[in-house]
Amino acid sequence: MNERSLPVEPPFVAQCAALCKLRHQSPTEEPVAWAMGCHAPEFSPIFQLSFNLGRSALDQRAQQQAASPPSAHHLPSRRNMLPARLRRTAVLLKRHVRLLATKTPGGRLVHEGDDFSRRHIGPGPEEQQQMLQTLGFKSLDELTDTAVPAAIRFRSDMNLPAPLDEHRMLRELREIALKNDVWKSYIGIGYSDCIVPPAIQRNILENSGWVTQYTPYQAEISQGRMESLVNFQTMIADLTGLPTSNASLLDESTACAEAMTLCYRSTKRNVFLADPMLHPQNTALLHTRAEPLGLKVEPLDLANPAFTPEVSGIIIQYPNTEGSIEDIKQLIAKAHANKTLVVVVCDLLASTLLTPPGELGADVAVGSAQRFGVPLGYGGPHAAFLSVANNDGRNTLARIMPGRVVGVTKDSNGNKAYRLALQTREQHIRRDKATSNICTAQALLANMAAMYAVYHGPGRLRRIAENIHKSTSYLAKQLTDAGHKVVHKVYFDTLKVIPKDLNAVKKRAQEHRINLRYYSDGAVGVALDETTGARELKDLLSVFGATAADEETIKAAVVDSSGPLLERKELHRQTPFLTHPNFNSYHSETQLVRYMKKLENKDVSLVHSMIPLGSCTMKLNASAELMPVSWPEFGGLHPFVPREQAKGYSILFENLERWLCEITGYDNLSLQPNSGAQGEYAGLLAIRNYLHSIGQDARDVCLIPSSAHGTNPASAQMAKMKIVPVGADKHGNIDWKDLTAKVDKYSKNLAAIMVTYPSTHGVFESSIVDVCQKIHDNGGQVYLDGANLNAQVGLARPGDYGSDVSHLNLHKTFCIPHGGGGPGMGPIGVKKHLAPFLPGHPVIPLKGCDGPPVSAAPWGSSSILPITWAYIRMMGAAGLTRASQVAILNANYMAKRLEGAYNTVYRSKEGLVAHEFIIDCKDFKKSADIEVVDIAKRLMDYGFHSPTMSWPVHNCLMIEPTESEDKAELDRLCDALLAIREEITMIEQGKLDRTVNPLK
Ligand SMILES: Cc1ncc(COP(=O)(O)O)c(C=O)c1O
């Protein structure tokens, strides 16, 4: 490969070699090579070796254990087991009788067909009993009653439908899906139909080996998807003509908003000029984001721009929402003369033919990669992108851009490898000073889009673009010949047409089941795409009442057509793109499938072993839940089709809203936020707008406990709240004294508290009810971060015990797989008074929701919502409750087994943890020169993904086993951690060298 990459400057390369020794790097260090085009050669053998070593290390330990029976510390003795067994039988019998006798709808575990909850929950009843016994509890209920404070316990059955087995759930969901009426859509407005290469659909989208990993924080076991993300970054950098790209953003509209704040951060100027021809959702999100920050979004007059010294940036849609391509070179030059930055919202396919933003002189390019092989999905999930220029020779824009960046670095042997770069500017480290609140983004969809480019290569991508453009040009000519007026002369794939007879066009479009864009001025928009062939053109012509030739004639005419982008040299792209071998080597399905498999094999996902990342809830993503995502009835809908074509989705949303309200105790719910952090932002905006509506504009202080997730302060600053930290006491609870002092000090300005529950310290705080009360008594609102709902479903409802609003991470508690860094969904539940402030939408009105939109699509990433629907439908109330109970059981069991070897940092007064816990590793530094990162890497030798490192407590590991892991897997991880502890002891005792040992 030509390592065509970005100008990686020599000092960076040197620093890179020095800094980026993978085995010795803390997650907070900032590697400097963010070269997007570089690719490492083979990396997997290293990992494969250590993985195999790990397996044999565990096997050895198992043999040792078999030879010498486990100590009483690990398991109860045989003598103790006997009465326990009898006790257990009695308990089971009693429960069985109770189950048969109970008639709670949705509360039954026994139902027709297979009980899915038994498949979702790892430990069976016997194993649960063994673990309870280890903990000294007789039943799950007894454990739950002790672990969960009585003040917050939800004591009734959730009103959810009785559970279905997989087969019956799929049948019911299919019936709902079939209520969606999939018409052919030529609506455009940022979404284009496309062809998902079947090999990519089957081997990435539908493959748990690609969809179940977490964000690639653990570089050694993430090389596969990081290579693919570097492919994405290279593709974006090439197609936009700008050197540095991130690894995806949430959607095009949020990318526009991120670009605006990037311009603000860079220039410190507060006016942003927006092209009136942006897609409406892009304009709307600029306003959402600008208002709290005090930025002014004003219309950009392209011919006569008002460049004042306050203008930080301009944003231009290119081609614009009506399809027109304007000459913006002069405008860009004028902007630069005013030291104003230029953002161009571009179309990746158009950029294969058309001068890309970078060649025009743009500083930032944003857009959506959806049309690169990702289904419409009624709005998402799709990967958006953001790339930047190196306009000052120091990569300043790259350093302050939002989102994750995968960089190319070197491992300790000097071999090239990939790892996340520039992490020091991210929310989990810089909190309110971060470049944005983006955490979960759209890694899986970025990988799909990248593979689409890998599969087609530059030549075929250009041919696809040419074919679309020629088809559009053919259509334009035919419509003009038929007496319609085509408004714009220079276009790529979208026409604005003033029809002779609008009503006739509308009527015939209905008859042909075709959606067009209808402008308020009576014009009609037609946006073509990769799926438009002769048959589709024939249908379109008849919709416009033009005489259509037969398909063969149309085909030939399209081939002979030209078009403005092919005819006008001044518009032509001058630079080659996708020259890297990865885009030129895998064009047959055989090659592509092997390439995808090769990358998949480098990574650890849930198909290998448990991923015990605390605060991430890496539970089972069941096949039956995932299958409906690729049904065409969910995938084929454009987000702006008339509501009557999306009746299936309406049922799904209505069900989910009701069920999630029932689960959380809230009154209303918005499904719009497409990540947890977006949910936080939407929730804080609802609080802010509510306070303003009752004349409490002065309230702008947000209390945030020190244990909060980094996205909390990052979101609060986006909502222009003043962040006041609150400390924690020695149990990890909110420090009541500190809270009281802060509340007293800011009582006149208190807007909200953002509290995570159970806290990220892994404990159920008994004072949560009092905390909520205190905030309310002082005029504030309670934002309860619901990412940890996995410990509460069926046991406690935030809406009941005092919270006003929460986001739920559906990609954690509700089984949407994490995709290697996205997609996710972060819907927010609210109490009644906040409901009017839930996000609305500029294109599709959402009844009763008048708040500013936070995502491009009305219901965010709609096409992954069937996963959550399926989970709740199969688990039922009792299954969900049991899942929470077992999540708590599993965490406590592991904490117990590790007792003596590792200190659990925080426990409740009763000595219990919630659904996750933190083990302390900081003393090992002094005693054995061992750091938390060494333990994490040694765990990989045992075949495990490390727990969360050094968050929220430095030099500690946070373990979240989830309910889906069975006792054997929990024991395997405990055994590995105990074996590592023994190795540390040997170092402490001088039996192993402090620098040359298995952990280093
Ligand atoms: C407690 C908590 N809050 C918020 C978030 C942010 O969610 P997302 O990554 O979807 O933006 C997370 C994600 O890990 C979390 O654990």
Side-chain angles (χ1 to χ4, degrees), residues 4 234-235 237-240 348-349 351-353 457-463 573 575-580 583-584:
R4 192 200 62 72
T234 308
M235 170 183 96
D238 279 11
L239 290 174
T240 60
L348 291 181
L349 213 44
S351 293
T352 63
L353 305 178
R460 175 130 179 88
L461 282 181
R462 205 187 138 88
R463 278 199 297 283
R573 181 184 177 109
T575 46
F577 56 92
L578 304 185
T579 52
H580 185 278
F583 299 106
N584 294 282

Side-chain angles (χ1 to χ4, degrees), residues 95-104:
R95 184 163 319 134
H96 193 59
V97 169
R98 208 175 57 210
L99 274 176
L100 290 176
T102 332
K103 267 182 89 185
T104 46

Side-chain angles (χ1 to χ4, degrees), residues 116-122 619-620 815 871 875 883 963-964:
F116 174 76
S117 73
R118 288 284 179 93
R119 308 228 178 250
H120 174 86
I121 297 172
K619 54 162 63 172
L620 171 76
C815 296
Y871 174 60
M875 292 292 276
E963 71 280 8
S964 298

Side-chain angles (χ1 to χ4, degrees), residues 786-845:
N788 286 346
L789 209 71
N790 210 43
Q792 296 183 76
V793 177
L795 305 179
R797 307 195 311 170
D800 290 349
Y801 59 77
S803 173
D804 299 292
V805 45
S806 294
H807 76 267
L808 319 177
N809 280 24
L810 299 189
H811 43 306
K812 295 180 178 174
T813 308
F814 295 97
C815 296
I816 291 178
H818 198 70
M825 273 294 277
I828 52 171
V830 293
K831 297 302 276 184
K832 224 185 241 102
H833 62 285
L834 294 179
F837 306 97
L838 287 173
H841 195 270
V843 182
I844 304 291

Side-chain angles (χ1 to χ4, degrees), residues 408-487:
V408 181
T409 182
K410 289 186 180 172
D411 70 9
S412 51
N413 297 321
N415 295 320
K416 259 204 219 166
Y418 304 102
R419 58 154 292 165
L420 290 180
L422 294 171
Q423 278 176 274
T424 44
R425 79 228 148 99
E426 281 190 47
Q427 40 69 30
H428 60 281
I429 294 167
R430 297 207 66 206
R431 301 172 77 85
D432 49 313
K433 306 276 183 314
T435 54
S436 86
N437 68 342
I438 297 284
C439 182
T440 291
Q442 303 284 17
L444 179 71
L445 301 313
N447 286 331
M448 284 182 73
M451 282 305 170
Y452 177 91
V454 165
Y455 186 42
H456 287 308
R460 175 130 179 88
L461 282 181
R462 205 187 138 88
R463 278 199 297 283
I464 292 171
E466 271 179 13
N467 190 45
I468 295 173
H469 184 53
K470 285 179 170 191
S471 302
T472 314
S473 171
Y474 169 80
L475 183 66
K477 181 164 185 317
Q478 298 300 311
L479 294 182
T480 310
D481 290 351
H484 306 284
K485 182 166 186 259
V486 174
V487 179

